[in-house]
Amino acid sequence: MNTQSTPDFRLLFESSPGLFLVFLPDAPRYTIVAASDAYTKQSKVKREEIVGKGVFDVFPENPDEMAAQGRKLLVESFKKVMKSNRPDKMDILRYDIKNDTDKFETHFWLVMNSPVLDMEGKILYIINQVEDVTNLVVEKQGAEMALKESEKLFKLLVENLPIGVWLIDKQGHIFSENPAAIKIWGGDKKIPIQNYNELQGWVYETGKKIESHEWASVRALEKGEICLNEVLRIKKFDGTYGVILNSAAPIKDERGQIIGALVQNQDIAEQKKYESEQKFQLNVSRILAESLELDTNKLGKLLIPNFADCCVFYTTNLEEDVHLEFVAHKDSDKAIVLEEFIRRYPRNSKYFQSIKEVLFEGKPIVVSYLTNEEFVEAFPDSKDRSLYSALAIKSFISVPVVARGKSMGAVTLCFNDSGRRFDVNALPFCEEFANALALALDKARLYKEAREAIGIREDVLAMVSHDLQNPLSVIMMSLKAIQKIDLHDEKSKEKMNKATIRIKRSSELMQGLIARILDFAKIQAGTFSIDFKDHDPKMILEEFIESARLLAEEKCIKIINDIDDDLPHVLCDKDRFLQVLSNLIGNAIKFTQKGGKIIVHARRLDHQILFSIEDTGSGMSEDQLPHIFDRFWQVEHSSKHGVGLGLAIAKGIVEAHNGKIWVDSEKGVGTNFHFLLPIGAMKSDFMHSFH
């Protein structure tokens, strides 16, 4: 009879490919009773050397690893198995073992501790099954370390990006932002999308206000839209304004569900400022090229509100008078208030003194922010302060307008309640605009002068053709009469004498007319010559009055001498001085009715002598006075004798003496011409000024 042998289970266990260790539940020794060949090979021990010994005697913990937790965790697992009679699968466990050189090596294990029960459910043995996963763990740790380095590098990259980056979670809360984002928005204020009504933004091109649901981040998070490069003007958290390029895109998980949004902002304020300035300068050039005359209204519309909230332009002349040329404001009502405020404000105030520095010294002014102290100092009058406060001007810049080395005006740009501010960086733009304006003003002035020159030429031609026609006709008729005269007849000789007298008078009239035209032409050309000498004004006046009395007495007009006795010598050209007197007194005689009177005044006034020719003639209306010294202009009720150059020439002569001439007149009462000439003691100073 054949008998089958009983299987050797120990041999089968020891030959199994798995890593198994069997030990008794005799805590805390945990005596080893068996081990698989694979286990002894992996742990680098011999079976006969470990059987009968405690687990931790055979496999001690690495004493050099101060934070080692392997033994503790294994004991906890053993106890858990013994208490529950159930297997316990441990997390990956680090437990170092010795190598062939008796030094500890780092190892990581997958551990399963399982009980072996008898028929009564009592634990006989604990099987410790392990798998060495050291290589996998090392690879994983390397990958994790690389990932951490990559994340660190990415974080460093994001933090140093010149563009703002935000990460928003599904609920719309910002959970990450870089420094550039905080800088772009002027502060770290993490506003969730539910409160986007607190944000203020406008579409850059149209100025349309952005509603809370229209922000790119909201559309990306709620609708999954990818929004790219939207140009917006924003009000920052610090109250200032900026221009940004706004983009947003949804963040999705592996299932395609939106779990957040990535928002990107780029500060393009300087770029847009440059583009706007270039566009502005092109428009300025276009407007200035369209016409030879300056259109300040169009320029004002270009400036406001893109570059300023309001604009003031002053002009000046050779007398250094300040004239308000135009005012523009984004609020038309405030433009009226601003213009009224400037016109009524004292010219000796600190405000106007600063404007004069810009005008006459060429010094630009930049006030980034008008402090309360500066505000009170500039406007000491509470009423003026209240008016200026209503305009809410907080920052301004003023630059000179200079052409051909001469000051022509000043441009002042202001910001009020828009939150914008000027600084020195705005000077190049303002100065470039001022230069363009100066060229335009100079061109307009040259165009005006050219038109005036053409007007003068046409007036002269018309005047010559008209006013020379009569004397020429007289000369021609007299010459024809002479041709018919019999020189042997006494009566014919008498006729010839009368004809020659008429010719002489007509020639003298033509000569005087031509002389006045030449004088005026020289004055206009700046080549009018003056021969300065000391003269006794009293003697000159008295001699001229005596010669003028004959003409005055024909109309029963009385000339009264009101000349101070102690007048100093006057610095003048005697012939030109007489020319002025002839014109002024001649006009007085012409426009004074029969029986009237003319008073000639002369008295010292500081370093000058004041001369006045007062009459009781017909006088002039207020609307006529501004034109009294214009070329070819004559009073409406005059007899139109002459060409209307006398007073223009008189003005040119007085100004060539570094003097001043003006007139007071009242309709129906009379006229009083005044002019000033320097006294002889001031000769050197005035000659220097004249040259």
Side-chain angles (χ1 to χ4, degrees):
M1 181 176 73
N2 292 330
T3 59
Q4 187 174 3
S5 61
T6 303
D8 189 341
F9 291 104
R10 179 182 291 274
L11 182 62
L12 290 174
F13 170 77
E14 290 176 351
S15 301
S16 67
L19 278 68
F20 297 101
L21 181 72
V22 181
F23 54 85
L24 298 174
D26 55 343
R29 179 176 171 79
Y30 303 110
T31 304
I32 299 172
V33 296
S36 66
D37 293 339
Y39 193 100
T40 57
K41 182 179 179 180
Q42 184 68 29
S43 57
K44 297 178 176 57
V45 295
K46 294 179 180 179
R47 182 179 296 107
E48 59 271 19
E49 292 177 354
I50 66 172
V51 173
K53 294 182 179 180
V55 170
F56 297 111
D57 294 331
V58 176
F59 302 107
E61 197 161 40
N62 186 354
D64 298 328
E65 184 62 39
M66 301 302 296
Q69 296 286 316
R71 178 170 179 164
K72 176 185 175 184
L73 295 173
L74 280 171
V75 170
E76 289 177 354
S77 179
F78 295 164
K79 289 180 178 180
K80 188 176 180 181
V81 170
M82 292 164 60
K83 184 177 181 180
S84 66
N85 288 351
R86 293 177 178 278
D88 179 52
K89 184 177 182 181
M90 299 179 66
D91 293 332
I92 291 177
L93 175 72
R94 176 182 174 177
Y95 203 96
D96 299 345
I97 59 174
K98 291 181 179 180
N99 58 18
D100 295 336
T101 61
D102 204 34
K103 291 183 179 180
F104 281 94
E105 288 181 349
T106 300
H107 281 264
F108 294 90
W109 312 87
L110 281 175
V111 181
M112 171 75 81
N113 295 308
S114 303
V116 177
L117 307 176
D118 61 11
M119 297 299 293
E120 296 177 357
K122 182 180 177 182
I123 296 180
L124 297 176
Y125 306 102
I126 296 176
I127 300 175
N128 174 241
Q129 180 183 356
V130 298
E131 180 183 353
D132 192 340
V133 292
T134 302
N135 291 337
L136 292 176
V137 171
V138 170
E139 289 177 5
K140 181 182 177 183
Q141 286 179 340
E144 288 176 349
M145 187 176 295
L147 180 61
K148 287 181 179 178
E149 287 297 321
S150 177
E151 288 176 347
K152 183 179 178 181
L153 181 61
F154 177 74
K155 184 178 180 181
L156 185 65
L157 177 65
V158 171
E159 286 182 349
N160 288 277
L161 279 175
I163 59 176
V165 177
W166 287 265
L167 291 175
I168 301 176
D169 63 21
K170 188 176 181 180
Q171 287 71 39
H173 295 92
I174 296 173
F175 66 87
S176 180
E177 60 186 345
N178 67 349
I182 297 172
K183 182 179 180 181
I184 287 172
W185 277 87
D188 184 10
K189 192 174 181 181
K190 296 179 176 64
I191 298 177
I193 63 172
Q194 294 85 354
N195 298 335
Y196 269 20
N197 58 318
E198 297 179 19
L199 296 179
Q200 293 189 51
W202 301 264
V203 178
Y204 184 79
E205 292 297 334
T206 65
K208 179 185 177 297
K209 192 176 189 308
I210 302 171
E211 302 299 331
S212 58
H213 65 278
E214 294 175 330
W215 289 90
S217 51
V218 178
R219 286 150 47 208
L221 198 60
E222 295 184 351
K223 299 180 180 180
E225 291 184 25
I226 297 176
C227 312
L228 298 175
N229 301 332
E230 297 176 354
V231 183
L232 310 178
R233 183 168 177 262
I234 60 169
K235 185 175 183 180
K236 301 181 182 181
F237 300 139
D238 60 6
T240 61
Y241 290 78
V243 182
I244 63 171
L245 204 60
N246 189 40
S247 300
I251 301 173
K252 299 181 180 181
D253 61 15
E254 62 276 5
R255 296 172 300 169
Q257 298 297 313
I258 296 174
I259 59 173
L262 170 68
V263 181
Q264 175 183 304
N265 285 172
Q266 183 177 351
D267 187 345
I268 57 170
E270 287 301 317
Q271 174 189 333
K272 285 299 176 182
K273 179 184 176 185
Y274 175 78
E275 291 175 359
S276 297
E277 289 176 358
Q278 292 301 305
K279 183 178 179 181
F280 172 79
Q281 297 296 353
L282 287 173
N283 286 330
V284 168
S285 300
R286 176 181 55 78
I287 289 174
L288 298 181
E290 283 177 353
S291 173
L292 292 172
E293 296 178 338
L294 183 63
D295 190 336
T296 53
N297 289 326
K298 287 185 178 179
L299 291 179
K301 289 178 180 178
L302 280 180
L303 282 166
I304 297 169
N306 292 328
F307 300 97
D309 295 327
C310 61
C311 172
V312 181
F313 178 41
Y314 302 92
T315 55
T316 185
N317 53 26
L318 294 176
E319 285 76 26
E320 297 194 351
D321 293 330
V322 180
H323 174 66
L324 179 62
E325 190 69 24
F326 81 93
V327 172
H329 198 290
K330 65 178 183 179
D331 185 332
S332 57
D333 292 335
K334 286 187 177 181
I336 298 172
V337 175
L338 179 59
E339 183 171 356
E340 177 61 24
F341 170 78
I342 293 173
R343 292 192 185 281
R344 65 187 288 266
Y345 204 73
R347 290 303 191 259
N348 60 352
S349 65
K350 183 177 179 179
Y351 170 75
F352 273 103
Q353 291 307 312
S354 63
I355 294 299
K356 284 186 176 180
E357 286 185 10
V358 178
L359 281 166
F360 306 122
E361 298 180 26
K363 297 178 180 178
I365 295 175
V366 180
V367 177
S368 296
Y369 183 75
L370 186 63
T371 64
N372 289 332
E373 292 78 10
E374 292 171 329
F375 181 72
V376 173
E377 183 182 0
F379 306 100
D381 190 318
S382 59
K383 292 181 179 178
D384 293 328
R385 204 180 307 155
S386 175
L387 183 61
Y388 190 83
S389 180
L391 296 169
I393 293 176
K394 302 297 183 184
S395 177
F396 66 88
I397 186 169
S398 187
V399 293
V401 177
V402 180
R404 301 174 187 264
K406 295 181 180 179
S407 176
M408 304 186 73
V411 175
T412 301
L413 305 181
C414 309
F415 285 139
N416 47 30
D417 54 0
S418 64
R420 296 177 288 177
R421 299 287 182 266
F422 285 113
D423 56 31
V424 292
N425 295 321
L427 272 176
F429 165 74
C430 294
E431 288 173 342
E432 189 173 352
F433 170 66
N435 290 337
L437 188 57
L439 291 175
L441 286 170
D442 194 40
K443 183 177 71 173
R445 178 185 61 81
L446 293 173
Y447 175 62
K448 181 181 178 183
E449 290 177 357
R451 288 183 61 184
E452 289 177 349
I454 293 171
I456 290 173
R457 183 193 66 185
E458 292 174 349
D459 290 340
V460 168
L461 290 173
M463 176 273 300
V464 169
S465 63
H466 178 271
D467 289 5
L468 291 183
Q469 185 175 358
N470 289 337
L472 280 172
S473 298
V474 171
I475 291 173
M476 292 300 295
M477 290 174 63
S478 299
L479 287 173
K480 287 180 180 179
I482 289 174
Q483 289 176 343
K484 297 178 181 179
I485 291 175
D486 183 358
L487 296 178
H488 300 288
D489 183 9
E490 290 297 329
K491 289 183 179 181
S492 296
K493 288 181 180 180
E494 186 178 347
K495 290 180 181 180
M496 183 176 177
N497 288 334
K498 290 181 179 179
T500 54
I501 292 172
R502 287 196 298 271
I503 291 174
K504 184 175 181 293
R505 286 178 179 172
S506 296
S507 298
E508 289 173 347
L509 179 62
M510 292 172 61
Q511 188 178 24
L513 180 61
I514 293 169
R516 287 194 293 276
I517 294 172
L518 290 174
D519 282 344
F520 181 71
K522 290 177 181 178
I523 290 171
Q524 290 293 101
T527 59
F528 194 68
S529 61
I530 298 293
D531 183 15
F532 286 101
K533 290 182 180 179
D534 280 343
H535 292 284
D536 183 351
K538 182 177 177 65
M539 183 182 297
I540 295 174
L541 286 171
E542 289 177 345
E543 289 178 358
F544 188 83
I545 289 171
E546 286 304 314
S547 64
R549 277 201 173 100
L550 294 174
L551 185 59
E553 286 173 356
E554 292 180 4
K555 293 181 64 176
C556 299
I557 296 172
K558 187 177 181 180
I559 298 182
I560 301 173
N561 182 335
D562 181 29
I563 304 170
D564 288 356
D565 293 328
D566 57 347
L567 285 180
H569 280 202
V570 69
L571 183 66
C572 70
D573 184 322
K574 181 179 178 180
D575 292 337
R576 299 300 186 186
F577 183 23
L578 288 172
Q579 194 174 347
V580 173
L581 292 176
S582 175
N583 186 277
L584 297 181
I585 295 178
N587 279 348
I589 295 172
K590 182 166 70 171
F591 293 107
T592 300
Q593 292 79 11
K594 187 175 181 180
K597 62 180 179 180
I598 298 170
I599 307 173
V600 180
H601 305 276
R603 62 185 178 88
R604 180 169 181 165
L605 186 66
D606 295 329
H607 300 297
Q608 301 175 91
I609 297 178
L610 174 63
F611 302 93
S612 300
I613 312 300
E614 180 184 359
D615 66 52
T616 58
S618 56
M620 290 175 285
S621 60
E622 288 188 8
D623 60 327
Q624 292 175 324
L625 290 179
H627 306 286
I628 192 67
F629 295 108
D630 291 352
R631 54 181 171 75
F632 306 119
W633 187 85
Q634 295 185 6
V635 179
E636 292 177 359
H637 60 265
S638 70
S639 58
K640 300 292 183 182
H641 294 305
V643 294
L645 289 176
L647 290 175
I649 293 172
K651 181 175 184 289
I653 291 172
V654 171
E655 290 177 349
H657 282 78
N658 291 291
K660 183 179 180 182
I661 186 169
W662 69 99
V663 62
D664 301 319
S665 187
E666 185 177 348
K667 192 78 171 176
V669 176
T671 301
N672 197 351
F673 279 91
H674 312 275
F675 66 96
L676 291 166
L677 293 181
I679 62 175
M682 302 298 291
K683 178 177 180 178
S684 60
D685 292 340
F686 277 101
M687 285 296 291
H688 176 75
S689 174
F690 174 73
H691 286 297

